[in-house]
């Protein structure tokens, strides 16, 4: 790292003119007075800002045109940032880190103040030097997308890449991923890579890694510990258990949801404790059954996106269901109410979908608990109309499974069989 | 009650032939041997079954054609069921009980084995004799619907009926309601009856009232205690707090969800403790703010059903959004991911909706936590496209509020103002 890494044009000129370089402790007079350390910038930054690390640990961007005065602090102690090349220790287990984007691979854009996905897996790795002590991490960038932009085509790419490492000597695989749709991706991998023997952990962070409150480091360290010591297989999501910086929870990739918009402990296993907890150096195992029902690896990396998730609510217009039917959908997952109900107003369109041989599965918007459609006459009516009760599958996971199932077969009976056949811990019986 | 209440045709003949009447303790030989007490049947039952209360407290229906032998038990003690006319005590507070259907007003249909809604409010009241000791209950049946069949038109009818009791001497109003969509109804009442001074509790049950494990009685008793002693206003949902038969939780009607398909403690206040807990005879108050922002009663019992709740997921086909736009919808509530995101593939249709002056509000499928659309550039893009961040409003509640708002005005700016104006504790700031 040079004295001016990442600075160019006007901001570089500004620093040079004022005889200030990276790592200098400075005082800046702008709208208010700031005190902190000049930070390097990442590539392709604009040239209108300089970045200051405050004592609080937060980094802020300051527009140079608004800076009235900048001077070195009296102490003027030069704080050297060490971003050294990681030395590999051949005795340690090997972990593959695939980066797909998201906050864990993001930094704040000081131009807009918003967070943008730009860190490479290499940068991510080097930003958590503790990792080098427990494993040798190889990194690979698959793409760089916010998770709300991760589409089924990205799931395919991740699955295909993981599949290539089937016979590798990696002890585990980490997938750095945005948190928003991480559980959809983990579900797809669970079904498409059923029986894959190397454990996989999807890891994200709720706060970007250049923020003091970032959860990226703990989540990564927890995931690496888990993968190197768990002695099991399966696809998990490894994230903070709660607001404390002590525990990482590993959730079964088909039984997990993001249940809070911003908390670090946003992910929860539905209706149960997480499969594994990593507390400091200890791993606690709550898994009673094996992750996959089958032991043999039978990759089926296929998908059909013509599957709709229909969340029912009072006043839902059945015409919207008709639109889905008319658009050639192969399967519909209802997110019904309670034990698995939708209003009578929906029945004619359900009947039509049934006649068109569209697979229909029922889940509940309660999220927790099992659908049971034999309790009320309305549930029985829906069973008669061809809807299949999907046990206690989480709606989002049932959607992904149906996309995968219809990718493998368009035969309704076979889809039904796949949906009711437990493959990767997606429901309990 | 006569010796044969509810029995007719073949089942009546069967009882008479065997010299058995209601309240007799009998032994029945069919597929297995049953022992229990002959129960009365409700009106309009079929004539193919008799109903037996087992020692476990459960009632079962037995098909008479399959009964090989029926005889009185040797003890043959006649157990007299007392369903007396409730005596009113004028010193007690008055409560109005409006029945709309649901499990709380249901019984098992012994023909199909499923639960059907048939109990009247009067029957419900008389089935919980404890109520008469704490309040005088007047009952009125509004309709009898499973809650998945409760539509916005039913919300209007409930609100209009409640409004008629504005100047009554009722201390509180109970609305017996199916649990599946109870929180949608409570939300509608909260907005349309803003400022209503008599407290209202929606009460349901997860197990029908003729089952031993029914939660109907505790929920009703808890609700009556709450209404007679809470000294506040607002619309609440009163249900079991957990699996114990000790605590009823009163949830704010705009901050509550059914989060489990079958547990008795299925309802939860999102992200907080319930507003009130009723433990035996004690009431614990966790309310910090008043329920309504305004004190003046300003009923606006209006609705526009042209509002869609769009749950985003990877692979969501933007054409479905186009269908909504083309169908003349006035508002769209997105159930986005994380802090309030939807994929870039949606942007062209969002732009179209914006140009067509459709109100668009953002909530999160995380359910808990606040949407914050300024953190990531994707959120900022969506704000630029005209989507409004709806704080920490629960998606289902935001949907109901938008239906109500668009019922009051079709002016987008006014809808926006209404949506962001806290009315009935629907979000926190």
């Amino acid at each position: 790292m040079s004295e001016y890494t990442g600075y160019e044009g006007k901001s570089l000129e500004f620093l040079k003119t004022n005889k200030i370089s990276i790592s200098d402790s400075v005082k800046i007079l702008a709208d208010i007075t700031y005190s902190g350390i000049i930070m390097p910038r990442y590539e392709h930054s604009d040239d209108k800002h300089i970045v200051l690390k405050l004592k609080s640990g937060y980094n802020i961007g300051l527009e140079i045109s608004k800076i009235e005065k900048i001077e070195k602090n009296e102490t003027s102690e030069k704080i050297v940032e060490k971003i050294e090349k990681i030395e590999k220790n051949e005795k340690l287990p090997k972990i593959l880190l695939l980066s797909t984007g998201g906050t864990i691979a993001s930094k704040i854009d000081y131009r807009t103040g918003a967070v943008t996905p730009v860190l490479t897996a290499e940068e991510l790795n080097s930003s958590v030097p503790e990792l080098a002590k427990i494993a040798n991490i190889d990194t690979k960038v698959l793409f760089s997308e916010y998770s709300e932009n991760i589409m089924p085509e990205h799931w395919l790419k991740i699955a295909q890449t993981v599949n290539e490492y089937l016979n590798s000597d990696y002890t585990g695989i980490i997938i750095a991923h945005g948190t928003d749709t991480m559980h959809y991706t983990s579900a797809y991998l669970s079904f498409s890579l059923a029986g894959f023997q190397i454990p996989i952990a999807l890891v994200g962070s709720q706060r970007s890694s250049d923020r003091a409150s970032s959860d990226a480091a703990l989540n990564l360290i927890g995931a690496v510990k888990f993968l190197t010591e768990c002695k099991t297989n399966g696809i998990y999501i490894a994230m903070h258990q709660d607001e404390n910086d002590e525990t990482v929870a590993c959730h079964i990739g088909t039984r997990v949801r993001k249940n809070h918009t911003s908390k670090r402990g946003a992910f929860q296993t539905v209706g149960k404790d997480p499969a594994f907890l990593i507390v400091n150096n200890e791993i606690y195992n709550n898994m009673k059954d094996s992750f996959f029902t089958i032991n043999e690896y039978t990759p089926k990396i296929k998908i059909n996106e013509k599957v709709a998730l229909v969340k029912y609510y009072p006043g839902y217009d059945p015409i919207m269901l008709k639109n889905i039917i008319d658009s050639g959908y192969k399967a519909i997952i209802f997110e019904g109410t309670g034990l698995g109900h939708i209003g009578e107003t929906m029945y004619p369109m359900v009947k039509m979908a049934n006649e068109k041989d569209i697979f229909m599965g029922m889940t509940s918007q309660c999220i927790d608990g099992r659908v049971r459609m034999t309790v009320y006459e309305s549930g029985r009516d829906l069973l008669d109309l061809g809807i299949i009760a999907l046990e206690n599958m989480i709606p989002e996971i049932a959607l992904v499974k149906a996309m995968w199932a219809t990718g493998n077969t368009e035969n309704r009976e076979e889809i039904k069989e796949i949906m009711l056949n437990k493959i990767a811990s997606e429901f309990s019986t």
Side-chain angles (χ1 to χ4, degrees), chain A:
Chain A
M1 195 171 63
S2 87
E3 282 183 305
Y4 301 109
T5 296
Y7 288 95
E8 53 188 26
K10 288 179 186 166
S11 63
L12 178 63
E13 198 188 311
F14 174 84
L15 289 178
K16 286 187 171 172
T17 306
N18 286 285
K19 292 177 180 152
I20 303 285
S21 61
I22 287 169
S23 300
D24 278 340
S25 173
V26 297
K27 188 177 284 175
I28 294 175
L29 182 66
D31 50 342
I32 60 165
T33 304
Y34 299 90
S35 186
I37 294 157
I38 299 292
M39 294 293 287
R41 303 204 64 186
Y42 292 102
E43 286 176 71
H44 312 303
S45 305
D46 71 84
D47 73 341
K48 297 184 183 64
H49 296 75
I50 58 169
V51 177
L52 195 69
K53 184 181 277 294
L54 304 178
K55 274 187 182 159
S56 66
Y58 275 82
N59 293 356
I60 58 166
L62 292 169
E63 206 174 324
I64 50 175
S65 68
K66 292 189 178 153
I67 294 177
E68 293 177 19
K69 198 176 162 189
I70 180 168
E71 58 185 21
K72 286 188 193 176
N73 275 326
E74 285 170 21
T75 59
S76 195
E77 31 174 337
K78 193 93 175 174
I79 294 152
V80 183
E81 285 237 345
K82 289 181 188 168
I83 303 180
E84 295 167 278
K85 183 81 191 151
I86 307 283
E87 289 292 330
K88 288 194 174 173
N89 176 347
E90 295 303 331
K91 286 178 190 161
L92 293 176
K94 281 179 71 182
I95 296 286
L96 177 65
L97 169 57
L98 302 173
S99 175
T100 70
T103 306
I104 193 163
S106 295
K107 62 175 185 60
I108 290 174
D109 180 333
Y110 293 100
R111 182 176 53 80
T112 63
V115 180
T116 51
V118 280
L119 279 189
T120 63
E122 188 62 52
E123 286 171 313
L124 185 64
N125 189 15
S126 64
S127 71
V128 188
E130 295 93 326
L131 293 177
K133 293 174 193 157
I134 45 179
N136 291 322
I137 319 268
D138 291 335
T139 59
K140 185 182 172 103
V141 179
L142 287 186
F143 40 82
S144 181
E145 295 284 355
Y146 286 133
S147 73
E148 66 270 23
N149 291 328
I150 300 264
M151 296 289 152
E153 70 204 56
H154 295 97
W155 301 342
L156 289 175
K157 183 162 183 193
I158 300 171
Q160 282 151 358
T161 306
V162 168
N163 180 55
E164 286 167 16
Y165 292 94
L166 175 63
N167 296 314
S168 69
D169 57 352
Y170 288 112
T171 303
I173 298 174
I174 288 179
I175 298 166
H177 196 291
T179 57
D180 273 21
T181 64
M182 206 181 220
H183 45 307
Y184 294 91
T185 301
S186 63
Y188 182 73
L189 298 178
S190 301
F191 300 125
S192 62
L193 302 176
F196 193 74
Q197 287 306 312
I198 303 172
I200 299 172
L202 286 88
V203 182
S205 73
Q206 290 277 82
R207 315 280 160 80
S208 63
S209 49
D210 56 351
R211 281 179 64 181
S213 61
S214 176
D215 47 338
L218 183 76
N219 293 345
L220 275 174
I221 295 165
V224 170
K225 277 190 187 152
F226 165 70
L227 292 173
T228 52
E229 295 176 30
C230 68
K231 295 183 176 58
T232 186
N233 58 15
I235 287 88
Y236 303 85
I237 283 183
M239 291 286 290
H240 265 58
Q241 159 83 339
D242 47 37
E243 293 303 280
N244 298 326
D245 268 337
E246 280 174 9
T247 309
V248 170
C250 284
H251 307 275
I252 287 177
T254 54
R255 294 295 307 159
V256 59
R257 259 191 121 249
K258 185 173 184 180
N259 282 340
H260 197 282
T261 60
S262 59
K263 270 188 191 170
R264 290 188 287 190
F267 282 81
Q268 291 175 329
T269 297
V270 171
K272 264 194 163 181
D273 288 331
F276 293 88
L277 291 178
I278 296 93
V279 190
N280 300 318
N281 277 314
E282 295 297 319
I283 294 190
Y284 298 92
N285 183 347
N286 296 320
M287 286 279 279
K288 290 194 180 65
D289 302 307
S290 56
F291 186 91
F292 297 115
T293 310
I294 46 159
N295 269 321
E296 205 181 341
Y297 179 54
T298 52
K300 289 177 184 157
I301 306 174
K302 293 177 178 177
I303 203 147
N304 184 336
E305 294 188 36
K306 283 288 187 191
V307 178
L309 179 63
V310 172
K311 178 165 177 168
Y312 176 76
Y313 50 80
Y316 183 96
D317 189 346
I319 293 299
M320 295 206 275
L321 188 53
K322 183 168 186 302
N323 287 334
I324 290 168
I325 297 167
D326 291 345
S327 303
Y329 274 70
K330 300 297 173 201
I332 297 168
I333 301 299
F334 288 104
E335 196 176 310
T337 64
L339 291 168
H341 303 126
I342 55 177
E344 282 171 351
T345 51
M346 304 285 275
Y347 288 14
M349 292 306 156
V350 171
K351 195 159 173 281
M352 182 188 283
N354 191 36
E355 282 159 6
K356 295 218 171 182
D357 228 23
I358 298 170
F359 173 85
M360 292 179 286
M362 180 62 76
T363 64
S364 175
Q365 59 192 253
C366 294
I367 297 166
D368 199 0
R370 190 174 301 277
V371 295
R372 282 187 59 210
M373 298 176 66
T374 52
V375 178
Y376 295 91
E377 64 183 1
S378 47
R380 296 188 162 210
D381 288 343
L382 293 169
L383 290 174
D384 289 343
L385 289 170
I387 296 182
I388 306 299
L390 296 178
E391 302 292 348
N392 61 347
M393 241 191 283
I394 301 167
E396 296 89 348
I397 307 304
L399 168 78
V400 175
K401 189 174 182 188
M403 285 183 176
W404 173 73
T406 51
N408 281 288
T409 174
E410 292 204 356
N411 178 301
R412 186 180 181 183
E413 272 308 304
E414 288 175 15
I415 296 170
K416 176 183 163 184
E417 203 175 300
I418 295 172
M419 291 304 288
L420 293 178
N421 179 25
K422 184 159 73 168
I423 291 168
S425 303
E426 68 271 25
F427 58 83
S428 59
T429 41

